[in-house]
Amino acid sequence: MVSEEILRTHLQELRRGTVVVASLVALRRPDYGYALLQRLTAHGFPVDANTLYPLLRRLEEQGLLTSEWNTEESRPRKFYRVSAEGETVLDRLLDDLAAVQTSVTGLIEGVDR
């Protein structure tokens, strides 16, 4: 029987790569960090704030996200959205994700290449 710790570790590794894709997809609609955290969790991508905020900063530094401060509300919030370059990268990542899914399905079904 597989231990819960081993399973949890492998699930975490699997999700670590997909959280970038999920964040870019979600941020096609501008949002601030905490709302993104809630939306990702609601869609099956539970991510810790200590993981998400550094990821958002990294994606912004790479030019994949843009951001702006909304100071019109009682508390200023930084809103993020996918940049044009981010859309290009996301398209490639989604293509690769689909190819990986196809390959795994082929292995499961025993399809020879």
Side-chain angles (χ1 to χ4, degrees):
M1 185 167 155
V2 176
S3 77
E4 285 299 314
E5 182 61 29
I6 290 172
L7 181 58
R8 187 174 23 259
T9 299
H10 288 292
L11 287 172
Q12 183 180 22
E13 288 177 17
L14 179 63
R15 293 198 178 265
R16 188 171 288 135
T18 57
V19 74
V20 170
V21 174
S23 295
L24 291 172
V25 168
L27 289 172
R28 284 176 162 167
R29 185 181 85 202
D31 221 340
Y32 62 98
Y34 184 71
L36 175 62
L37 191 68
Q38 291 179 314
R39 194 152 41 118
L40 290 174
T41 298
H43 285 276
F45 293 93
V47 59
D48 187 78
N50 292 327
T51 300
L52 183 64
Y53 289 107
L55 172 65
L56 292 174
R57 283 191 295 277
R58 181 169 54 90
L59 294 174
E60 186 176 17
E61 288 170 5
Q62 293 172 342
L64 305 182
L65 296 179
T66 61
S67 68
E68 60 184 54
W69 284 96
N70 178 346
T71 57
E72 295 173 4
E73 297 180 24
S74 60
R75 202 173 99 204
R77 293 181 178 172
K78 190 173 186 178
F79 278 76
Y80 296 90
R81 80 176 62 212
V82 175
S83 67
E85 189 174 348
E87 279 288 346
T88 301
V89 169
L90 177 58
D91 288 344
R92 295 280 308 273
L93 292 173
L94 289 172
D95 287 347
D96 194 62
L97 187 59
V100 168
Q101 179 61 46
T102 299
S103 296
V104 170
T105 299
L107 285 170
I108 291 168
E109 295 174 352
V111 175
D112 288 330
R113 287 193 144 184

